[in-house]
Amino acid sequence: MNPFEEMRIFAQVMESGSFTAAADKLGLSKQFVSRKLMELEQRLGVRLLNRSTRRLDVTPLGQRYYEAALRLLSEVEQVEQGISGQTSEPRGTIRLSAPLSFAVAHLGSLLPLFLQRYQEVSVEVDLSDRSVDLLGEGYDIALRIGVLEDSTLIARRIATIERVYCASPAYLAQRGTPERPEDLRNHDCLPYGHSRQVQWRFGGGSKSLTLEVAGRMRANNGDLLRDAAVAGMGITYLPTFIVGDALNDGRLIKVLEGFETEALALSAVYPQHRQSSRPVQALVEFLREQMQ
């Protein structure tokens, strides 16, 4: 078996999490897959996986081999597509990670349009607000909202997301409407995230103001915070794609509209070895086209 086939088997085991699942994906027997990985380790003279009855754990050297294998396999795939004349039409499967609330609001309508345009592409979507490890968990691309961490990933800005401060009419009738950002210190706030110290920022540059806010409830899901605000639990600060309907029908009312807020960037991030992937690039360009 040539090294590229061994790489494909090892990469599939990493992505599937087991010999059995990898064998099913590849159309091979579990015994064949296990034997080939043992032969690979013997040839390299290192252990790539720690095996137990319950799980497979990748070793540090195994992780390095996996990341290098993905890059090489991607390059081989692009070369083969070019030779066979298939580069004109993207094809293949995209493993996509996306934030839950954003995906529910937008991807449910956008992805069917994308798949109708590109008939040879399929998409596997995982919805989670956590920052997934694209290489370690085998994702091709992730959508992320907010400031990106420094990394070796390639980032493309998709769109800008506006945020607003809002509360229910009942809450404002009972507690009063804040006229200045400093008034929030006397209000129950509904911050996003798990950090015990959450800061909301107003304005920009030298005139910016940062306030630490608190309340009886915080969460890492915007839909939950929106519903809490509608129920009169306090003032929240959320993207318009989450609170837009509630603002339109009057369940929520904007507050502090005269003060500048910070917009969020929606970005697509993907590993360097996916930079030449036609399905990934097609999805990025499609989302930029639709959302801008």
Side-chain angles (χ1 to χ4, degrees):
M1 179 173 289
N2 67 60
F4 287 114
E5 288 304 315
E6 292 177 338
M7 286 181 182
R8 286 192 176 95
I9 290 177
F10 180 73
Q12 188 62 65
V13 170
M14 287 284 292
E15 293 172 6
S16 302
S18 73
F19 290 138
T20 301
D24 289 341
K25 285 275 188 178
L26 295 169
L28 303 171
S29 69
K30 175 185 175 182
Q31 292 76 13
F32 182 86
V33 169
S34 178
R35 185 173 74 251
K36 287 304 174 183
L37 285 190
M38 289 180 62
E39 292 175 359
L40 173 62
E41 290 177 324
Q42 291 172 0
R43 182 169 62 81
L44 296 176
V46 298
R47 181 174 289 278
L48 301 176
L49 295 170
N50 291 319
R51 300 156 174 82
S52 68
T53 56
R54 292 187 176 182
R55 58 181 295 177
L56 297 174
D57 291 317
V58 65
T59 66
L61 287 175
Q63 183 65 34
R64 287 177 56 189
Y65 183 83
Y66 173 59
E67 294 172 5
L70 288 180
R71 290 192 294 270
L72 289 171
L73 290 172
S74 176
E75 291 177 7
V76 170
E77 178 184 354
Q78 297 307 312
V79 171
E80 291 178 347
Q81 287 184 350
I83 292 175
S84 62
Q86 296 177 354
T87 55
S88 60
E89 180 68 18
R91 63 186 62 212
T93 300
I94 303 171
R95 291 200 69 211
L96 166 67
S97 171
L100 175 61
S101 297
F102 172 81
V104 170
H106 290 295
L107 293 188
S109 59
L110 290 179
L111 287 181
L113 295 177
F114 173 75
L115 295 175
Q116 289 169 13
R117 180 180 297 184
Y118 298 104
Q119 297 290 321
E120 300 299 322
V121 176
S122 58
V123 181
E124 297 177 2
V125 186
D126 179 71
L127 302 185
S128 174
D129 289 336
R130 69 183 179 89
S131 182
V132 300
D133 178 357
L134 272 75
L135 285 173
E137 299 179 56
Y139 290 98
D140 297 304
I141 184 172
L143 299 181
R144 291 180 177 167
I145 296 174
V147 179
L148 300 177
E149 299 177 357
D150 291 334
S151 72
T152 60
L153 300 174
I154 296 174
R156 294 280 306 279
R157 181 183 284 258
I158 299 296
T160 298
I161 296 175
E162 300 296 332
R163 290 186 290 179
V164 296
Y165 295 91
C166 54
S168 70
Y171 175 87
L172 297 176
Q174 181 181 13
R175 298 289 297 273
T177 300
E179 302 294 333
R180 305 174 305 154
E182 294 85 349
D183 295 341
L184 292 176
R185 296 191 178 103
N186 300 318
H187 282 270
D188 288 326
C189 295
L190 299 166
Y192 181 94
H194 287 316
S195 174
R196 294 195 174 277
Q197 293 184 333
V198 177
Q199 295 180 331
W200 288 350
R201 184 178 178 183
F202 296 82
S206 59
K207 296 183 179 180
S208 65
L209 171 65
T210 302
L211 288 175
E212 187 173 316
V213 297
R216 296 175 56 204
M217 178 177 172
R218 69 186 66 227
N220 68 339
N221 179 266
D223 296 296
L224 191 64
L225 293 174
R226 176 203 58 211
D227 292 345
V230 169
M233 294 294 294
I235 298 173
T236 194
Y237 180 38
L238 291 172
T240 51
F241 70 79
I242 294 178
V243 297
D245 288 344
L247 290 170
N248 290 336
D249 62 23
R251 288 176 293 154
L252 292 176
I253 298 175
K254 293 181 183 180
V255 297
L256 301 171
E257 289 190 77
F259 295 88
E260 182 181 352
T261 60
E262 282 190 308
L264 295 172
L266 170 67
S267 303
V269 297
Y270 47 89
Q272 294 183 20
H273 70 274
R274 285 292 180 238
Q275 187 171 7
S276 58
S277 168
R278 287 189 57 78
V280 168
Q281 295 306 317
L283 178 60
V284 171
E285 294 306 322
F286 174 83
L287 292 175
R288 284 171 57 86
E289 166 197 315
Q290 295 292 322
M291 302 204 67
Q292 290 186 349

